[in-house]
């Protein structure tokens, strides 16, 4: 009989602890009215490198770049409207790795819907939404380069917000 009471007490404590845990988790996620929850993004700290100049960019015409080095292909884009992570006077300049994060296939720019598309397994990434994956087998968003533009209009990359496909240095720097 004593054993049954211990089981009942244990069950009650378990349930009480579970309810308190769920209530605590719910309270931690409640935000003030109008506030947005944002997931902080880690930035891989690669050395700064010049990618181009504002005068060389045309809307929806990609410029091939290499960042963080010549062995890592990327793309520099002027989109013509302000976008997430955009740089420049109009907030419309972005740069991304063009190695698909799924298997490393080279991505192709599609100006019609402003996506970067993988020919290997059909992953698609939205250039206007920070390289967010919109379709396909990839399990992460497209690596976007942090940009800085100086007073002469020179565009510099100063880091990457996701892991670049095939880079051991991603792990060593994080």
């Amino acid at each position: 009989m004593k054993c049954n009471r211990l089981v009942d007490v244990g069950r009650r404590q378990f349930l009480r602890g579970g309810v308190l845990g769920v209530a605590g988790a719910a309270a931690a996620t409640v935000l003030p009215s109008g506030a947005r929850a944002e997931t902080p993004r880690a930035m891989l700290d690669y050395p700064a490198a010049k990618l181009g100049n504002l005068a060389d960019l045309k809307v929806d015409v990609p410029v091939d770049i290499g960042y963080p080095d010549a062995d890592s292909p990327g793309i520099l884009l002027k989109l013509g409207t302000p976008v997430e992570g955009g740089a420049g006077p109009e907030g419309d300049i972005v740069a991304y790795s063009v190695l698909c994060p799924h298997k490393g296939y080279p991505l192709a720019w599609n100006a019609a819907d402003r996506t970067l598309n993988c020919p290997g397994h059909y992953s698609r990434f939205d250039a206007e939404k920070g390289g967010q994956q919109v379709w396909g087998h990839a399990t992460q968003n497209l690596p976007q380069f942090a940009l800085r533009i100086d007073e002469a209009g020179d565009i510099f990359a100063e880091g990457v917000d996701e892991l670049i496909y095939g880079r051991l240095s991603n792990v060593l720097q994080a």
Side-chain angles (χ1 to χ4, degrees):
M1 196 153 205
K2 285 184 179 180
C3 188
N4 286 342
R5 286 188 177 163
L6 288 176
V7 169
D8 288 341
V9 169
R11 187 178 307 135
R12 279 190 223 111
Q13 286 180 333
F14 173 77
L15 291 173
R16 187 179 314 125
V19 168
L20 291 175
V22 169
T29 61
V30 174
L31 297 171
S33 178
R36 272 184 41 199
E38 292 197 20
T39 304
R41 297 180 94 170
M43 186 63 64
L44 296 173
D45 188 27
Y46 286 107
K50 182 179 174 184
L51 303 179
N53 188 281
L54 291 174
D56 300 328
L57 298 179
K58 294 176 181 48
V59 174
D60 287 332
V61 178
V63 174
D64 292 331
I65 59 171
Y67 184 76
D69 53 52
D71 293 329
S72 185
I75 191 171
L76 181 64
L77 291 165
K78 179 171 179 61
L79 297 171
T81 57
V83 294
E84 179 181 332
E90 292 138 25
D92 66 340
I93 299 169
V94 292
Y96 297 100
S97 170
V98 290
L99 295 175
C100 181
H102 177 234
K103 292 287 184 182
Y105 285 93
L107 302 175
W109 171 243
N110 181 341
D113 65 1
R114 300 229 166 132
T115 59
L116 288 152
N117 302 306
C118 180
H121 298 103
Y122 311 110
S123 290
R124 296 168 53 98
F125 304 90
D126 191 333
E128 294 180 306
K129 294 195 167 125
Q132 180 180 8
Q133 180 190 354
V134 293
W135 182 260
H137 293 299
T139 58
Q140 77 177 50
N141 294 330
L142 196 57
Q144 183 173 5
F145 305 149
L147 300 178
R148 175 181 57 84
I149 300 175
D150 70 11
E151 59 280 345
D154 289 331
I155 304 165
F156 295 87
E158 297 186 323
V160 181
D161 73 349
E162 294 278 352
L163 301 177
I164 297 173
Y165 180 82
R167 294 238 158 194
L168 177 59
S169 61
N170 288 322
V171 177
L172 297 176
Q173 290 187 8

